[in-house]
Amino acid sequence: MEQRLLDQLLEIVKKQSSALELQSRVMLANGADSSVKTEHTNVVSQSRPVSIENNEGKFTSNLQAVAHGQAALEQEVIRLVSTIAAYPPGDLKLTDSLKSELGYDSLMMMELQAALKKRYPDREVIVPLDITDLTIRQLIAIVAGTGEEGHGSPSEPGTPLIQSADRQEAEQKIAPSVPPQFKVEQFAEYQDLCQRIESAGEVNPYFRLRQGINTDTVMMGGEPYINYSSYNYLGYAGDPQIIAAVQEAVAEYGTSVSASRLLSGEIPLHGQLEAAVSSFIGTEDALIYTAGHATNVSTIAKLVGKEDIVLHDELSHNSLIQGCLLSGAQRVSFPHNDWEALDRILTRTRGHRRRALIVIEGVYSMDGDIPDLHKFIEIKKKHQAMLYIDEAHSIGTIGATGRGICEYHGVDAREVDLLMGTLSKSFASCGGYAAGSAAMIQYLKYLSDGFIFSAGITPANAAAALAVIRSLEKDPSPVSKLQQNSRLFLERCQQHGLNTGLSGDTPIIPIIVGGSERTLKLTEYLYRQGINVYPILYPAVPEEAACIRFFMTANHNHEQIEWTVKLVAEGIHSFDKEPVML
């Protein structure tokens, strides 16, 4: 190993010598002074090696200086990798893969790119975001400008690893100032958005205006459509009994509680709803927030901090990731539903962190699949971690009576530290909840910023969710109907040879078309046939995974399902026979 390193360093020194000799010849040819400065300063250590001459002692001294510079660069890159990942520098190996072993995701890779650019402003460091098995050794090679195994852009022959301090200082002095951006039209993000909207042309399915209740059918432009873009899973959003409960609440308490619940915004409906949620799920207590997104952000941010680590599934919802980022904890993503990878990461990191929080979802909203809860609880206990589950799409939809992932897997809900859910889907309202032990809920009730500094949930929303839960406890048949419809749709897709990905036992069924252009065309084709469904396109998913995502409801009937799947199959097969033109 040492001999290999010396050979590599010797090659670098030879390249430096050749570059300096060439520089001397050019200067002599131009009439310059024959004395050429050969002093170079290491960007990390600022040490000065001696000039390279045909003298064994001086050559060895220079070689040692270069070796010192390379070692210092390696240490600095490892330090930056460690800062973003969850591992102390001493635990990292040069062979560690940034993604599969250290839990880097695209956001962390971009953060690393920015950190390297700030640390080495004189280097053109471009981290290849598309390489999933990039190792620390390969990253060091990219930063050094030598490249390795086809990764990165090697420097031109003769470019020294040790940069000139004078040149670095001069480049910093002449660096142009950053142009100010003070109008949104100047934002690169806005310009990119405009280009994407323009490129969609007339085939832009977003923000279409509808009339009436968002259920199995919907009115758009005065025409009826079979609707698969609704979270109204159990059909309660238009139920007359739920509407009546809302009207009564508004008549008694008004349209808003007009204050934070901590002060004068508390009404009886709030406590009744929290008691109903905790009883329905099987926890000691619950806390109601005004929005599902805010529930995740505020709760996670209060559970962990800078001394801790939070580990989330790579397909986690934006609200979960935002909560992780806001917390300041070391954030690590693990491969989708891969509890074994989670175990390996915690084995290496848990001993260095005060708290560890595992974040998963009950049903994943893109793929419609369910994690193995038993395994995640096993990992949680093994590593003395907390487990947080987002049940936005699993509460009301899975389990014999719709009580979510714990009922589905036959697990006591008290085995999970926090079960979060939204009120806007199965519960036909708007808001979010966090359910757990009495101590956990008391902690959040007095310390969660998103709860304390927000007005309480409206009387209308509280009444709607409460009425739904009470109805489900008396008659869970809408859950059975939803599950029957979901199974029928999935079975018919499989019979037609359609690719439904990982979906199973959930009302979320993506049909993978492949290619954003094909997917947009199929969406428009279905719309013209009276079916309202929305595409999931790149960059939300990889280009080859572009799909149309169907949300089933208890109100759909068999005729609608049979007709829809038949049209989808015909549309996809027609694309294979003719070119896709938009």
Side-chain angles (χ1 to χ4, degrees):
M1 179 66 184
E2 293 179 357
Q3 184 59 46
R4 180 170 175 266
L5 177 60
L6 286 174
D7 290 343
Q8 290 177 341
L9 293 174
L10 179 59
E11 182 63 26
I12 292 171
V13 172
K14 286 180 178 178
K15 290 180 178 180
Q16 290 181 315
S17 180
S18 298
L20 291 170
E21 182 180 356
L22 177 60
Q23 183 182 9
S24 299
R25 290 178 179 175
V26 170
M27 294 179 69
L28 286 171
N30 292 331
D33 190 284
S34 60
S35 60
V36 180
K37 292 183 179 180
T38 58
E39 293 178 344
H40 294 268
T41 306
N42 187 308
V43 293
V44 176
S45 66
Q46 303 300 319
S47 62
R48 293 180 180 269
V50 245
S51 300
I52 301 172
E53 298 180 5
N54 292 326
N55 179 285
E56 184 176 350
K58 291 185 177 181
F59 180 82
T60 302
S61 176
N62 194 295
L63 183 62
Q64 290 173 344
V66 174
H68 177 71
Q70 176 70 7
L73 184 140
E74 287 187 2
Q75 292 174 5
E76 182 66 5
V77 171
I78 289 173
R79 184 189 69 80
L80 292 174
V81 170
S82 169
T83 300
I84 297 169
Y87 305 88
D91 286 1
L92 297 178
K93 303 187 295 289
L94 294 178
T95 55
D96 281 337
S97 167
L98 295 183
K99 181 175 182 181
S100 61
E101 294 179 283
L102 302 185
Y104 267 66
D105 59 13
S106 58
L107 290 176
M108 297 168 76
M109 291 293 281
M110 292 173 67
E111 186 179 352
L112 177 61
Q113 171 85 63
L116 289 168
K117 182 64 178 174
K118 182 178 180 181
R119 181 63 186 82
Y120 300 108
D122 60 318
R123 297 173 185 268
E124 189 66 26
V125 179
I126 300 177
V127 179
L129 302 179
D130 58 332
I131 296 176
T132 58
D133 60 347
L134 186 72
T135 66
I136 294 179
R137 175 180 284 120
Q138 292 166 343
L139 177 63
I140 291 169
I142 291 171
V143 177
T146 60
E148 182 171 328
E149 299 180 16
H151 300 317
S153 302
S155 299
E156 290 296 324
T159 301
L161 175 64
I162 303 174
Q163 300 292 320
S164 165
D166 295 336
R167 176 183 172 187
Q168 179 180 346
E169 183 179 356
E171 288 178 347
Q172 289 176 344
K173 286 182 179 179
I174 64 173
S177 60
V178 177
Q181 293 182 356
F182 50 93
K183 293 183 178 180
V184 70
E185 291 85 356
Q186 297 170 319
F187 295 1
E189 300 94 318
Y190 177 74
Q191 294 168 3
D192 177 64
L193 171 65
C194 291
Q195 289 178 359
R196 282 188 283 128
I197 292 176
E198 184 179 355
S199 65
E202 296 181 1
V203 190
N204 185 353
Y206 302 108
F207 294 101
R208 283 174 174 162
L209 189 65
R210 69 166 176 83
Q211 297 83 35
I213 297 170
N214 201 3
T215 182
D216 61 304
T217 59
V218 67
M219 295 297 293
M220 303 179 74
E223 297 292 331
Y225 288 82
I226 303 173
N227 186 31
Y228 295 97
S229 296
S230 169
Y231 298 148
N232 188 13
Y233 288 127
L234 301 178
Y236 283 114
D239 187 284
Q241 292 184 348
I242 308 304
I243 294 173
V246 169
Q247 291 171 336
E248 291 176 11
V250 172
E252 182 171 358
Y253 298 107
T255 57
S256 171
V257 297
S258 304
S260 165
R261 286 178 58 186
L262 189 68
L263 302 178
S264 61
E266 185 85 6
I267 60 175
L269 283 173
H270 292 151
Q272 293 169 17
L273 176 57
E274 288 166 345
V277 167
S278 59
S279 174
F280 186 75
I281 296 171
T283 61
E284 292 179 357
D285 205 351
L287 186 66
I288 302 298
Y289 291 77
T290 56
H293 193 285
T295 304
N296 277 333
V297 173
S298 301
T299 304
I300 293 175
K302 191 53 62 176
L303 293 178
V304 287
K306 292 183 179 180
E307 300 176 63
D308 310 317
I309 181 173
V310 57
L311 310 100
H312 64 83
D313 190 287
E314 65 179 349
L315 298 186
S316 292
H317 188 265
N318 170 270
S319 59
L320 296 171
I321 295 176
Q322 292 302 316
C324 295
L325 292 170
L326 181 62
S327 74
Q330 203 74 56
R331 183 178 67 88
V332 178
S333 69
F334 56 88
H336 182 50
N337 280 338
D338 192 341
W339 55 268
E340 292 176 308
L342 173 65
D343 183 29
R344 289 193 299 270
I345 294 171
L346 279 169
T347 298
R348 293 183 61 178
T349 62
R350 183 65 184 95
H352 306 289
R353 301 292 169 178
R354 179 186 58 171
R355 303 173 193 160
L357 179 66
I358 301 167
V359 178
I360 60 175
E361 298 184 28
V363 168
Y364 285 88
S365 60
M366 284 291 184
D367 296 276
D369 59 333
I370 305 169
D372 187 339
L373 182 55
H374 291 284
K375 290 298 184 181
F376 281 97
I377 290 177
E378 180 183 321
I379 299 303
K380 153 196 149 58
K381 292 180 177 179
K382 175 181 177 181
H383 296 284
Q384 295 182 305
M386 295 180 287
L387 180 60
Y388 183 105
I389 304 180
D390 180 340
E391 288 222 78
H393 292 273
S394 54
I395 194 68
T397 67
I398 64 174
T401 60
R403 285 171 164 79
I405 189 171
C406 291
E407 183 181 41
Y408 178 86
H409 282 290
V411 169
D412 189 328
R414 291 171 295 183
E415 295 273 11
V416 180
D417 297 276
L418 263 175
L419 289 157
M420 171 273 172
T422 60
L423 305 180
S424 59
K425 299 175 176 64
S426 294
F427 293 156
S429 180
C430 192
Y433 67 81
S437 69
M440 175 67 79
I441 299 308
Q442 184 182 32
Y443 172 77
L444 294 173
K445 195 170 188 176
Y446 285 90
L447 296 176
S448 175
D449 298 335
F451 176 78
I452 297 170
F453 298 104
S454 176
I457 188 174
T458 68
N461 285 326
L466 179 59
V468 169
I469 294 174
R470 288 174 173 172
S471 178
L472 275 176
E473 287 177 330
K474 294 177 182 177
D475 177 20
S477 61
V479 177
S480 300
K481 184 65 164 57
L482 169 67
Q483 293 173 355
Q484 291 171 9
N485 285 342
S486 301
R487 281 194 297 270
L488 177 63
F489 192 96
L490 187 62
E491 289 171 1
R492 292 294 181 267
C493 287
Q494 293 170 345
Q495 289 171 3
H496 281 83
L498 301 175
N499 184 358
T500 54
L502 302 174
S503 180
D505 288 346
T506 78
I508 301 172
I509 305 173
I511 295 181
I512 300 173
V513 182
S516 294
E517 191 175 3
R518 283 167 53 91
T519 305
L520 270 175
K521 183 181 180 183
L522 180 60
T523 303
E524 187 66 15
Y525 165 75
L526 293 174
Y527 186 73
R528 290 196 299 267
Q529 299 298 321
I531 295 174
N532 183 49
V533 65
Y534 283 78
I536 307 297
L537 309 173
Y538 176 85
V541 294
E543 183 68 21
E544 66 275 9
C547 65
I548 296 178
R549 183 175 52 169
F550 290 81
F551 292 97
M552 306 305 301
T553 73
N555 288 344
H556 283 110
N557 59 51
H558 288 195
E559 290 75 19
Q560 292 171 332
I561 292 172
E562 299 279 2
W563 171 248
T564 299
V565 176
K566 177 176 177 291
L567 282 177
V568 172
E570 290 176 354
I572 290 179
H573 295 327
S574 70
F575 297 162
D576 297 331
K577 298 177 181 179
E578 58 184 56
V580 178
M581 299 293 291
L582 288 177

